Amino acid sequence: MDPLEQARVFLDCFQTNANPDDPLPVWVPIYHLKQDEIEPAIIDWIRTYLDQFGCPQCILPLIIRTVLEEVLSNCKENPKSCGLNGQEYNTLQLNHEVILRVNQTCLGLLDNAKLNNLLAQLGTDQPDGAAGGGAIAHGPKVHFSRGLKHRRRTMEDRHVCLPDFNTLFRTKDTEPTAFYGVYDGHGGQEAASFAASHLHYYIAQSEHYPHDMEQAFRDGFLKTDQLFLEKCENHHLNSGSTAVACVHHTRSQRIDVAWVGDSQAILVRRNPGEGVYKRIVHPTHVASDPDERERIDREGGCVIPWNGQFRVSGQLAITRAIGNRFYKPFVTANPAVSLNQCTEDDLLLILASDGLWEGYNEYLTSMFVLYAIRKFPGKSRFVSVA
């Protein structure tokens, strides 16, 4: 279907199924948000809400930018109506404002003239020099993602797929970019949720993005960690999250990855064999790694063997994460970075938490995905699994 047909199918579904009286259509955190934290949260809420109705990628960024500008404008003109209380925004009240604007925008697009005006922006809302950026938004889907909860009571992991990263956040890129991230939460879902909605935003906002990706990743990770630790102090939270984040520069075929913790990313090659995959995340940040143990010991912490496994202070198996305030500064959010130039032989990227790799090693996972792609051709090139 062309973008117009996709948009009409989505809008019919939205009109039929959206419930304007639902008080909480998407999850919101218990903590309040500062001024420089609301934009990524608003974008995350809109994207999560519209995903429930199958909003096509061709118009999703356009609707997000439209609603975002309306909400931010109203935050300036009528801050109290948007939940501003002193220096922070009440997330529930702000969320109500956001969802109200989304409903109004989508129902307004049932007017063909308004829909045509929105679709006319396709391919034009690109940063200077990023011609052709619409290929990500308008072409076939290039990623697949899935999150599964096993035996735990609640789902603490998150993942995010932003194939229109440069358009959505109006970055300084000179080519189309996509962002993918997997966040393995522990001790609660708050850290993973905060990272999933904010980390990519602070990477894009770094003054070093995109010309110095290593420093941009470092800026984004450390700022996300700093802001979340403030939430922890104010609301007595102690959750943490590992993170593996990827920025894909689609035209130059570069894949830049940063990580904290033990999630993994691998590049799968076209030809089966012993060299079918390349491990990008190496080493993972676990307490059994001698370099990590030495770092923690040098900083005044301790790593203790417990129940057959090394653990920070005898409790935490990972040595780097976002959050975990009681383990700072030993469990740092300073990421490791891997900058990669893809070749013609590189077929796809897999990002996943340790929940996948503990059950299936990299070789078996790569061979399984290659088999699936050849049996079902035309499917995704990027996979993220929480």
Side-chain angles (χ1 to χ4, degrees):
M1 291 189 291
D2 62 27
L4 180 59
E5 292 175 309
Q6 294 180 51
R8 284 176 172 164
V9 169
F10 155 68
L11 292 171
D12 287 341
C13 175
F14 185 88
Q15 183 182 29
T16 303
N17 296 290
N19 179 11
D21 297 322
D22 188 344
L24 198 62
V26 296
W27 182 88
V28 295
I30 63 173
Y31 47 75
H32 295 174
L33 296 171
K34 297 180 180 179
Q35 180 65 45
D36 64 347
E37 298 171 341
I38 63 172
E39 182 172 337
I42 291 171
I43 292 175
D44 184 63
W45 292 338
I46 300 171
R47 184 175 55 84
T48 302
Y49 181 54
L50 292 179
D51 279 349
Q52 300 175 29
F53 307 100
C55 183
Q57 196 60 47
C58 60
I59 63 169
L60 179 61
L62 302 177
I63 295 176
I64 289 177
R65 294 304 312 184
T66 299
V67 174
L68 175 66
E69 291 169 4
E70 290 179 357
V71 174
L72 291 180
S73 176
N74 196 40
C75 285
K76 291 182 179 180
E77 297 174 3
N78 303 292
K80 289 187 178 180
S81 69
C82 296
L84 183 64
N85 182 13
Q87 300 296 319
E88 295 184 321
Y89 285 86
N90 180 293
T91 50
L92 185 59
Q93 191 172 344
L94 180 61
N95 179 264
H96 286 167
E97 171 70 16
V98 171
I99 300 303
L100 175 64
R101 298 277 180 170
V102 175
N103 290 337
Q104 291 174 346
T105 299
C106 291
L107 294 177
L109 290 175
L110 293 169
D111 183 326
N112 287 334
K114 292 182 179 180
L115 178 57
N116 287 333
N117 288 337
L118 184 74
L119 292 175
Q121 301 177 39
L122 289 176
T124 62
D125 188 22
Q126 299 294 331
D128 294 340
I136 294 296
H138 315 155
K141 186 176 181 180
V142 296
H143 71 271
F144 171 82
S145 62
R146 185 72 181 272
L148 297 174
K149 181 178 73 68
H150 192 37
R151 296 179 180 178
R152 296 195 176 185
R153 185 173 60 87
T154 60
M155 179 61 164
E156 296 178 334
D157 301 350
R158 296 291 186 272
H159 64 271
V160 58
C161 301
L162 302 172
D164 45 19
F165 184 55
N166 61 298
T167 302
L168 199 55
F169 292 94
R170 295 183 174 174
T171 63
K172 300 174 184 177
D173 288 291
T174 56
E175 63 176 308
T177 54
F179 179 92
Y180 304 94
V182 171
Y183 307 93
D184 184 356
H186 49 269
Q189 62 181 331
E190 297 85 8
S193 296
F194 188 84
S197 60
H198 288 76
L199 177 61
H200 48 268
Y201 176 77
Y202 295 126
I203 292 172
Q205 291 292 307
S206 170
E207 63 179 352
H208 300 282
Y209 182 91
H211 58 276
D212 183 353
M213 286 301 302
E214 183 169 354
Q215 188 58 48
F217 276 129
R218 187 161 288 110
D219 290 348
F221 272 75
L222 293 178
K223 183 168 183 179
T224 301
D225 183 57
Q226 174 195 343
L227 294 175
F228 181 69
L229 289 177
E230 293 177 5
K231 313 297 182 192
C232 292
E233 292 288 344
N234 296 333
H235 296 275
H236 308 289
L237 303 174
N238 189 37
S239 61
S241 177
T242 71
V244 55
C246 162
V247 175
H248 178 212
H249 308 267
T250 59
R251 194 156 56 214
S252 59
Q253 288 299 297
R254 290 188 297 113
I255 292 180
D256 300 331
V257 178
W259 69 93
V260 290
D262 57 356
S263 293
Q264 181 60 268
I266 62 172
L267 271 173
V268 180
R269 299 193 168 104
R270 297 178 187 276
N271 300 312
E274 292 185 1
V276 70
Y277 71 90
K278 174 186 176 182
R279 185 182 295 166
I280 295 180
V281 172
H282 183 76
T284 54
H285 300 134
V286 291
S288 58
D289 182 83
D291 292 336
E292 287 295 283
R293 293 204 305 271
E294 182 181 347
R295 175 185 64 81
I296 292 173
D297 182 66
R298 189 169 57 247
E299 294 173 354
C302 64
V303 176
I304 302 172
W306 181 261
N307 197 25
Q309 186 177 23
F310 284 103
R311 296 179 179 272
V312 180
S313 301
Q315 298 185 28
L316 200 61
I318 57 172
T319 58
R320 302 196 189 198
I322 293 170
N324 292 120
R325 64 177 176 133
F326 292 132
Y327 297 93
K328 299 297 183 186
F330 315 120
V331 176
T332 177
N334 188 22
V337 178
S338 175
L339 309 179
N340 305 272
Q341 178 64 55
C342 293
T343 67
E344 288 298 320
D345 196 40
D346 295 321
L347 179 62
L348 59 93
L349 174 73
I350 300 178
L351 306 175
S353 68
D354 64 329
L356 173 67
W357 309 114
E358 288 177 354
Y360 301 92
N361 63 32
E362 291 92 338
Y363 178 77
L364 290 176
T365 301
S366 302
M367 294 299 292
F368 176 82
V369 174
L370 282 176
Y371 168 79
I373 288 178
R374 291 177 181 181
K375 187 173 182 179
F376 305 101
K379 299 301 181 181
S380 306
R381 290 194 60 199
F382 287 81
V383 181
S384 65
V385 183

Tab-separated table of all heavy atoms in Angstrom, residues 270-323:
chain	number	residue	atom	x	y	z
A	270	ARG	N	26.222	-13.145	5.777
A	270	ARG	CA	25.371	-13.845	4.827
A	270	ARG	C	25.701	-15.333	4.719
A	270	ARG	O	24.821	-16.152	4.490
A	270	ARG	CB	25.499	-13.218	3.433
A	270	ARG	CG	25.032	-11.778	3.378
A	270	ARG	CD	25.211	-11.191	1.992
A	270	ARG	NE	24.908	-9.772	1.996
A	270	ARG	CZ	23.679	-9.276	1.879
A	270	ARG	NH1	22.651	-10.089	1.734
A	270	ARG	NH2	23.484	-7.970	1.893
A	271	ASN	N	26.966	-15.677	4.835
A	271	ASN	CA	27.405	-17.040	4.566
A	271	ASN	C	27.576	-17.834	5.853
A	271	ASN	O	28.318	-17.416	6.748
A	271	ASN	CB	28.722	-17.027	3.793
A	271	ASN	CG	28.582	-16.306	2.466
A	271	ASN	OD1	27.637	-16.567	1.728
A	271	ASN	ND2	29.510	-15.402	2.164
A	272	PRO	N	26.891	-18.971	5.988
A	272	PRO	CA	27.032	-19.801	7.189
A	272	PRO	C	28.455	-20.330	7.338
A	272	PRO	O	29.225	-20.388	6.395
A	272	PRO	CB	26.039	-20.949	6.931
A	272	PRO	CG	25.121	-20.450	5.873
A	272	PRO	CD	25.927	-19.513	5.018
A	273	GLY	N	28.768	-20.711	8.550
A	273	GLY	CA	30.093	-21.236	8.832
A	273	GLY	C	30.576	-20.734	10.176
A	273	GLY	O	29.844	-20.074	10.916
A	274	GLU	N	31.816	-21.018	10.490
A	274	GLU	CA	32.359	-20.613	11.783
A	274	GLU	C	32.399	-19.096	11.930
A	274	GLU	O	32.291	-18.573	13.034
A	274	GLU	CB	33.753	-21.210	11.960
A	274	GLU	CG	33.757	-22.731	12.109
A	274	GLU	CD	35.143	-23.267	12.391
A	274	GLU	OE1	36.078	-22.440	12.492
A	274	GLU	OE2	35.291	-24.486	12.522
A	275	GLY	N	32.592	-18.388	10.817
A	275	GLY	CA	32.624	-16.930	10.881
A	275	GLY	C	31.304	-16.287	10.554
A	275	GLY	O	31.261	-15.190	10.008
A	276	VAL	N	30.201	-16.953	10.896
A	276	VAL	CA	28.882	-16.462	10.519
A	276	VAL	C	28.477	-15.220	11.306
A	276	VAL	O	27.603	-14.468	10.895
A	276	VAL	CB	27.826	-17.579	10.695
A	276	VAL	CG1	27.598	-17.884	12.171
A	276	VAL	CG2	26.520	-17.207	10.012
A	277	TYR	N	29.109	-14.980	12.448
A	277	TYR	CA	28.748	-13.811	13.241
A	277	TYR	C	30.004	-13.087	13.735
A	277	TYR	O	31.095	-13.665	13.817
A	277	TYR	CB	27.877	-14.196	14.446
A	277	TYR	CG	28.619	-14.937	15.529
A	277	TYR	CD1	29.250	-14.263	16.570
A	277	TYR	CD2	28.704	-16.322	15.508
A	277	TYR	CE1	29.940	-14.932	17.561
A	277	TYR	CE2	29.396	-17.014	16.497
A	277	TYR	CZ	30.010	-16.314	17.519
A	277	TYR	OH	30.699	-16.981	18.503
A	278	LYS	N	29.815	-11.807	14.049
A	278	LYS	CA	30.867	-11.004	14.666
A	278	LYS	C	30.303	-10.407	15.949
A	278	LYS	O	29.291	-9.715	15.923
A	278	LYS	CB	31.319	-9.877	13.732
A	278	LYS	CG	32.310	-8.919	14.369
A	278	LYS	CD	32.605	-7.734	13.453
A	278	LYS	CE	33.522	-6.723	14.143
A	278	LYS	NZ	33.765	-5.533	13.269
A	279	ARG	N	30.956	-10.688	17.058
A	279	ARG	CA	30.511	-10.151	18.343
A	279	ARG	C	30.957	-8.700	18.447
A	279	ARG	O	32.146	-8.387	18.382
A	279	ARG	CB	31.104	-10.987	19.470
A	279	ARG	CG	30.615	-10.593	20.849
A	279	ARG	CD	31.290	-11.438	21.901
A	279	ARG	NE	30.915	-12.839	21.787
A	279	ARG	CZ	31.565	-13.822	22.416
A	279	ARG	NH1	32.600	-13.550	23.175
A	279	ARG	NH2	31.163	-15.072	22.264
A	280	ILE	N	29.992	-7.794	18.611
A	280	ILE	CA	30.296	-6.368	18.706
A	280	ILE	C	30.510	-5.945	20.147
A	280	ILE	O	31.391	-5.147	20.450
A	280	ILE	CB	29.169	-5.535	18.051
A	280	ILE	CG1	29.102	-5.823	16.551
A	280	ILE	CG2	29.384	-4.053	18.287
A	280	ILE	CD1	28.029	-5.055	15.828
A	281	VAL	N	29.694	-6.463	21.044
A	281	VAL	CA	29.806	-6.128	22.463
A	281	VAL	C	30.838	-7.060	23.104
A	281	VAL	O	30.554	-8.238	23.356
A	281	VAL	CB	28.448	-6.258	23.166
A	281	VAL	CG1	28.606	-6.107	24.678
A	281	VAL	CG2	27.469	-5.228	22.629
A	282	HIS	N	32.027	-6.524	23.318
A	282	HIS	CA	33.088	-7.342	23.915
A	282	HIS	C	34.125	-6.421	24.555
A	282	HIS	O	34.639	-5.512	23.901
A	282	HIS	CB	33.748	-8.227	22.859
A	282	HIS	CG	34.789	-9.136	23.416
A	282	HIS	ND1	34.471	-10.276	24.124
A	282	HIS	CD2	36.148	-9.065	23.393
A	282	HIS	CE1	35.578	-10.877	24.488
A	282	HIS	NE2	36.607	-10.164	24.067
A	283	PRO	N	34.405	-6.605	25.852
A	283	PRO	CA	33.774	-7.602	26.712
A	283	PRO	C	32.495	-7.052	27.341
A	283	PRO	O	32.287	-5.839	27.389
A	283	PRO	CB	34.844	-7.834	27.784
A	283	PRO	CG	35.498	-6.477	27.917
A	283	PRO	CD	35.498	-5.884	26.537
A	284	THR	N	31.657	-7.954	27.826
A	284	THR	CA	30.499	-7.514	28.606
A	284	THR	C	30.961	-7.125	30.001
A	284	THR	O	32.009	-7.570	30.477
A	284	THR	CB	29.452	-8.637	28.698
A	284	THR	OG1	30.075	-9.823	29.193
A	284	THR	CG2	28.838	-8.914	27.335
A	285	HIS	N	30.175	-6.292	30.660
A	285	HIS	CA	30.567	-5.754	31.964
A	285	HIS	C	29.981	-6.613	33.079
A	285	HIS	O	28.899	-6.344	33.605
A	285	HIS	CB	30.097	-4.306	32.084
A	285	HIS	CG	30.678	-3.417	31.026
A	285	HIS	ND1	29.919	-2.517	30.311
A	285	HIS	CD2	31.944	-3.322	30.544
A	285	HIS	CE1	30.702	-1.881	29.445
A	285	HIS	NE2	31.931	-2.357	29.572
A	286	VAL	N	30.724	-7.656	33.423
A	286	VAL	CA	30.293	-8.570	34.480
A	286	VAL	C	31.415	-8.691	35.518
A	286	VAL	O	32.588	-8.448	35.219
A	286	VAL	CB	29.948	-9.959	33.902
A	286	VAL	CG1	28.696	-9.894	33.052
A	286	VAL	CG2	31.110	-10.516	33.084
A	287	ALA	N	31.008	-9.065	36.710
A	287	ALA	CA	31.969	-9.089	37.819
A	287	ALA	C	33.019	-10.178	37.666
A	287	ALA	O	34.045	-10.147	38.354
A	287	ALA	CB	31.214	-9.275	39.141
A	288	SER	N	32.803	-11.148	36.782
A	288	SER	CA	33.810	-12.194	36.560
A	288	SER	C	34.956	-11.713	35.676
A	288	SER	O	35.980	-12.396	35.580
A	288	SER	CB	33.153	-13.426	35.915
A	288	SER	OG	32.535	-13.079	34.684
A	289	ASP	N	34.808	-10.533	35.066
A	289	ASP	CA	35.868	-9.997	34.207
A	289	ASP	C	36.981	-9.417	35.083
A	289	ASP	O	36.732	-8.542	35.916
A	289	ASP	CB	35.303	-8.916	33.292
A	289	ASP	CG	36.360	-8.364	32.352
A	289	ASP	OD1	36.613	-8.974	31.303
A	289	ASP	OD2	36.940	-7.312	32.683
A	290	PRO	N	38.224	-9.875	34.907
A	290	PRO	CA	39.325	-9.410	35.775
A	290	PRO	C	39.548	-7.901	35.693
A	290	PRO	O	39.857	-7.267	36.715
A	290	PRO	CB	40.545	-10.174	35.235
A	290	PRO	CG	39.979	-11.363	34.539
A	290	PRO	CD	38.668	-10.926	33.973
A	291	ASP	N	39.404	-7.311	34.518
A	291	ASP	CA	39.602	-5.868	34.383
A	291	ASP	C	38.558	-5.082	35.162
A	291	ASP	O	38.875	-4.056	35.783
A	291	ASP	CB	39.554	-5.465	32.902
A	291	ASP	CG	40.746	-5.995	32.120
A	291	ASP	OD1	41.785	-6.254	32.747
A	291	ASP	OD2	40.628	-6.152	30.882
A	292	GLU	N	37.323	-5.564	35.149
A	292	GLU	CA	36.274	-4.889	35.899
A	292	GLU	C	36.487	-5.045	37.399
A	292	GLU	O	36.270	-4.110	38.171
A	292	GLU	CB	34.900	-5.435	35.488
A	292	GLU	CG	34.439	-4.991	34.113
A	292	GLU	CD	34.204	-3.503	34.029
A	292	GLU	OE1	33.169	-3.018	34.518
A	292	GLU	OE2	35.085	-2.798	33.489
A	293	ARG	N	36.909	-6.221	37.818
A	293	ARG	CA	37.195	-6.426	39.250
A	293	ARG	C	38.334	-5.513	39.711
A	293	ARG	O	38.273	-4.916	40.793
A	293	ARG	CB	37.552	-7.893	39.522
A	293	ARG	CG	36.409	-8.867	39.311
A	293	ARG	CD	36.600	-10.140	40.119
A	293	ARG	NE	37.865	-10.798	39.859
A	293	ARG	CZ	38.055	-11.713	38.909
A	293	ARG	NH1	37.038	-12.054	38.120
A	293	ARG	NH2	39.227	-12.294	38.749
A	294	GLU	N	39.355	-5.383	38.861
A	294	GLU	CA	40.478	-4.512	39.202
A	294	GLU	C	40.028	-3.060	39.290
A	294	GLU	O	40.455	-2.324	40.193
A	294	GLU	CB	41.580	-4.669	38.155
A	294	GLU	CG	42.821	-3.830	38.449
A	294	GLU	CD	43.892	-3.994	37.389
A	294	GLU	OE1	43.776	-4.946	36.569
A	294	GLU	OE2	44.832	-3.177	37.364
A	295	ARG	N	39.179	-2.627	38.352
A	295	ARG	CA	38.674	-1.248	38.384
A	295	ARG	C	37.906	-0.977	39.672
A	295	ARG	O	38.107	0.060	40.332
A	295	ARG	CB	37.768	-0.993	37.171
A	295	ARG	CG	37.102	0.382	37.182
A	295	ARG	CD	36.122	0.556	36.036
A	295	ARG	NE	34.993	-0.359	36.104
A	295	ARG	CZ	33.929	-0.164	36.864
A	295	ARG	NH1	33.853	0.895	37.664
A	295	ARG	NH2	32.939	-1.029	36.856
A	296	ILE	N	37.009	-1.874	40.031
A	296	ILE	CA	36.188	-1.680	41.230
A	296	ILE	C	37.060	-1.682	42.483
A	296	ILE	O	36.861	-0.871	43.398
A	296	ILE	CB	35.101	-2.773	41.298
A	296	ILE	CG1	34.094	-2.560	40.165
A	296	ILE	CG2	34.402	-2.769	42.652
A	296	ILE	CD1	33.079	-3.666	40.031
A	297	ASP	N	38.030	-2.564	42.529
A	297	ASP	CA	38.942	-2.615	43.676
A	297	ASP	C	39.744	-1.320	43.775
A	297	ASP	O	39.960	-0.789	44.875
A	297	ASP	CB	39.874	-3.814	43.534
A	297	ASP	CG	40.809	-3.955	44.725
A	297	ASP	OD1	40.317	-4.223	45.843
A	297	ASP	OD2	42.032	-3.776	44.545
A	298	ARG	N	40.173	-0.800	42.642
A	298	ARG	CA	40.946	0.445	42.617
A	298	ARG	C	40.109	1.633	43.107
A	298	ARG	O	40.631	2.573	43.701
A	298	ARG	CB	41.440	0.681	41.184
A	298	ARG	CG	42.437	1.813	41.045
A	298	ARG	CD	43.081	1.806	39.674
A	298	ARG	NE	42.099	1.892	38.599
A	298	ARG	CZ	41.854	0.923	37.731
A	298	ARG	NH1	42.498	-0.235	37.804
A	298	ARG	NH2	40.959	1.087	36.771
A	299	GLU	N	38.788	1.579	42.876
A	299	GLU	CA	37.909	2.668	43.280
A	299	GLU	C	37.390	2.513	44.703
A	299	GLU	O	36.605	3.338	45.170
A	299	GLU	CB	36.735	2.768	42.297
A	299	GLU	CG	37.164	3.189	40.890
A	299	GLU	CD	36.028	3.124	39.889
A	299	GLU	OE1	34.929	2.640	40.273
A	299	GLU	OE2	36.222	3.532	38.735
A	300	GLY	N	37.819	1.455	45.381
A	300	GLY	CA	37.443	1.284	46.780
A	300	GLY	C	36.299	0.329	47.016
A	300	GLY	O	35.839	0.170	48.158
A	301	GLY	N	35.796	-0.331	45.972
A	301	GLY	CA	34.715	-1.297	46.125
A	301	GLY	C	35.263	-2.699	46.285
A	301	GLY	O	36.470	-2.916	46.442
A	302	CYS	N	34.367	-3.664	46.235
A	302	CYS	CA	34.802	-5.055	46.369
A	302	CYS	C	33.918	-5.962	45.523
A	302	CYS	O	32.724	-5.686	45.323
A	302	CYS	CB	34.772	-5.510	47.836
A	302	CYS	SG	33.127	-5.530	48.567
A	303	VAL	N	34.529	-6.996	45.008
A	303	VAL	CA	33.811	-8.035	44.272
A	303	VAL	C	34.008	-9.334	45.024
A	303	VAL	O	35.140	-9.749	45.293
A	303	VAL	CB	34.331	-8.158	42.828
A	303	VAL	CG1	33.643	-9.315	42.119
A	303	VAL	CG2	34.108	-6.859	42.061
A	304	ILE	N	32.882	-9.981	45.399
A	304	ILE	CA	32.927	-11.152	46.276
A	304	ILE	C	32.324	-12.356	45.555
A	304	ILE	O	31.246	-12.243	44.964
A	304	ILE	CB	32.141	-10.877	47.576
A	304	ILE	CG1	32.716	-9.656	48.296
A	304	ILE	CG2	32.157	-12.094	48.483
A	304	ILE	CD1	31.873	-9.211	49.481
A	305	PRO	N	32.993	-13.504	45.586
A	305	PRO	CA	32.368	-14.726	45.051
A	305	PRO	C	31.180	-15.120	45.926
A	305	PRO	O	31.292	-15.185	47.158
A	305	PRO	CB	33.484	-15.776	45.137
A	305	PRO	CG	34.745	-15.006	45.384
A	305	PRO	CD	34.355	-13.747	46.083
A	306	TRP	N	30.045	-15.355	45.286
A	306	TRP	CA	28.869	-15.734	46.052
A	306	TRP	C	28.047	-16.734	45.244
A	306	TRP	O	27.640	-16.458	44.129
A	306	TRP	CB	28.015	-14.509	46.378
A	306	TRP	CG	26.789	-14.828	47.194
A	306	TRP	CD1	25.515	-14.988	46.755
A	306	TRP	CD2	26.743	-15.055	48.604
A	306	TRP	NE1	24.677	-15.292	47.779
A	306	TRP	CE2	25.406	-15.337	48.945
A	306	TRP	CE3	27.708	-15.055	49.611
A	306	TRP	CZ2	25.006	-15.610	50.245
A	306	TRP	CZ3	27.306	-15.325	50.915
A	306	TRP	CH2	25.974	-15.584	51.219
A	307	ASN	N	27.841	-17.894	45.790
A	307	ASN	CA	27.049	-18.941	45.152
A	307	ASN	C	27.596	-19.288	43.766
A	307	ASN	O	26.848	-19.457	42.802
A	307	ASN	CB	25.580	-18.510	45.068
A	307	ASN	CG	24.653	-19.689	44.814
A	307	ASN	OD1	24.992	-20.826	45.140
A	307	ASN	ND2	23.497	-19.420	44.225
A	308	GLY	N	28.923	-19.354	43.679
A	308	GLY	CA	29.564	-19.757	42.437
A	308	GLY	C	29.710	-18.663	41.408
A	308	GLY	O	30.088	-18.936	40.257
A	309	GLN	N	29.424	-17.388	41.766
A	309	GLN	CA	29.504	-16.291	40.803
A	309	GLN	C	30.057	-15.043	41.482
A	309	GLN	O	29.715	-14.747	42.626
A	309	GLN	CB	28.115	-16.001	40.224
A	309	GLN	CG	28.103	-14.973	39.109
A	309	GLN	CD	26.705	-14.787	38.530
A	309	GLN	OE1	25.705	-15.075	39.176
A	309	GLN	NE2	26.625	-14.301	37.303
A	310	PHE	N	30.943	-14.319	40.776
A	310	PHE	CA	31.442	-13.052	41.297
A	310	PHE	C	30.330	-12.014	41.280
A	310	PHE	O	29.594	-11.897	40.291
A	310	PHE	CB	32.625	-12.555	40.469
A	310	PHE	CG	33.906	-13.284	40.743
A	310	PHE	CD1	34.376	-14.252	39.862
A	310	PHE	CD2	34.645	-13.004	41.887
A	310	PHE	CE1	35.559	-14.920	40.110
A	310	PHE	CE2	35.834	-13.670	42.145
A	310	PHE	CZ	36.292	-14.637	41.254
A	311	ARG	N	30.243	-11.222	42.376
A	311	ARG	CA	29.208	-10.184	42.464
A	311	ARG	C	29.769	-8.943	43.144
A	311	ARG	O	30.558	-9.051	44.090
A	311	ARG	CB	27.982	-10.683	43.243
A	311	ARG	CG	27.249	-11.841	42.569
A	311	ARG	CD	26.063	-12.321	43.397
A	311	ARG	NE	25.360	-13.409	42.754
A	311	ARG	CZ	24.373	-13.264	41.876
A	311	ARG	NH1	23.958	-12.024	41.562
A	311	ARG	NH2	23.782	-14.304	41.341
A	312	VAL	N	29.341	-7.782	42.670
A	312	VAL	CA	29.732	-6.523	43.289
A	312	VAL	C	29.097	-6.447	44.673
A	312	VAL	O	27.880	-6.595	44.815
A	312	VAL	CB	29.292	-5.320	42.427
A	312	VAL	CG1	29.703	-4.009	43.095
A	312	VAL	CG2	29.870	-5.418	41.023
A	313	SER	N	29.942	-6.258	45.695
A	313	SER	CA	29.487	-6.244	47.091
A	313	SER	C	28.746	-7.526	47.448
A	313	SER	O	27.900	-7.532	48.347
A	313	SER	CB	28.594	-5.022	47.352
A	313	SER	OG	29.290	-3.822	47.092
A	314	GLY	N	29.037	-8.595	46.723
A	314	GLY	CA	28.407	-9.878	46.988
A	314	GLY	C	26.990	-9.989	46.496
A	314	GLY	O	26.303	-10.973	46.805
A	315	GLN	N	26.506	-9.015	45.691
A	315	GLN	CA	25.097	-9.018	45.304
A	315	GLN	C	24.857	-8.858	43.810
A	315	GLN	O	24.077	-9.602	43.216
A	315	GLN	CB	24.350	-7.899	46.056
A	315	GLN	CG	24.360	-8.078	47.561
A	315	GLN	CD	23.518	-7.040	48.258
A	315	GLN	OE1	22.561	-6.523	47.712
A	315	GLN	NE2	23.902	-6.696	49.474
A	316	LEU	N	25.518	-7.904	43.148
A	316	LEU	CA	25.192	-7.564	41.762
A	316	LEU	C	26.199	-8.195	40.808
A	316	LEU	O	27.403	-7.982	40.940
A	316	LEU	CB	25.176	-6.041	41.595
A	316	LEU	CG	24.413	-5.476	40.399
A	316	LEU	CD1	22.943	-5.853	40.472
A	316	LEU	CD2	24.566	-3.959	40.340
A	317	ALA	N	25.701	-8.957	39.822
A	317	ALA	CA	26.583	-9.688	38.918
A	317	ALA	C	27.156	-8.795	37.817
A	317	ALA	O	28.173	-9.130	37.229
A	317	ALA	CB	25.840	-10.865	38.284
A	318	ILE	N	26.510	-7.684	37.525
A	318	ILE	CA	27.019	-6.775	36.497
A	318	ILE	C	27.785	-5.631	37.155
A	318	ILE	O	27.553	-5.304	38.324
A	318	ILE	CB	25.877	-6.215	35.624
A	318	ILE	CG1	24.837	-5.503	36.494
A	318	ILE	CG2	25.236	-7.318	34.795
A	318	ILE	CD1	23.795	-4.763	35.700
A	319	THR	N	28.691	-5.025	36.387
A	319	THR	CA	29.555	-3.990	36.947
A	319	THR	C	29.304	-2.607	36.355
A	319	THR	O	29.897	-1.632	36.809
A	319	THR	CB	31.025	-4.356	36.716
A	319	THR	OG1	31.258	-4.523	35.309
A	319	THR	CG2	31.377	-5.652	37.441
A	320	ARG	N	28.470	-2.530	35.324
A	320	ARG	CA	28.105	-1.232	34.757
A	320	ARG	C	26.620	-1.244	34.435
A	320	ARG	O	26.101	-2.221	33.901
A	320	ARG	CB	28.921	-0.918	33.496
A	320	ARG	CG	30.418	-0.915	33.739
A	320	ARG	CD	31.187	-0.246	32.619
A	320	ARG	NE	32.624	-0.460	32.784
A	320	ARG	CZ	33.564	0.257	32.182
A	320	ARG	NH1	33.216	1.235	31.363
A	320	ARG	NH2	34.840	-0.009	32.393
A	321	ALA	N	25.952	-0.151	34.774
A	321	ALA	CA	24.515	-0.080	34.554
A	321	ALA	C	24.044	1.350	34.750
A	321	ALA	O	24.731	2.181	35.362
A	321	ALA	CB	23.764	-1.017	35.499
A	322	ILE	N	22.868	1.649	34.236
A	322	ILE	CA	22.175	2.895	34.529
A	322	ILE	C	21.345	2.675	35.782
A	322	ILE	O	20.598	1.690	35.880
A	322	ILE	CB	21.284	3.303	33.341
A	322	ILE	CG1	22.154	3.675	32.133
A	322	ILE	CG2	20.357	4.459	33.704
A	322	ILE	CD1	21.390	3.871	30.847
A	323	GLY	N	21.484	3.553	36.769
A	323	GLY	CA	20.768	3.391	38.027
A	323	GLY	C	21.603	2.674	39.070
A	323	GLY	O	22.821	2.875	39.154
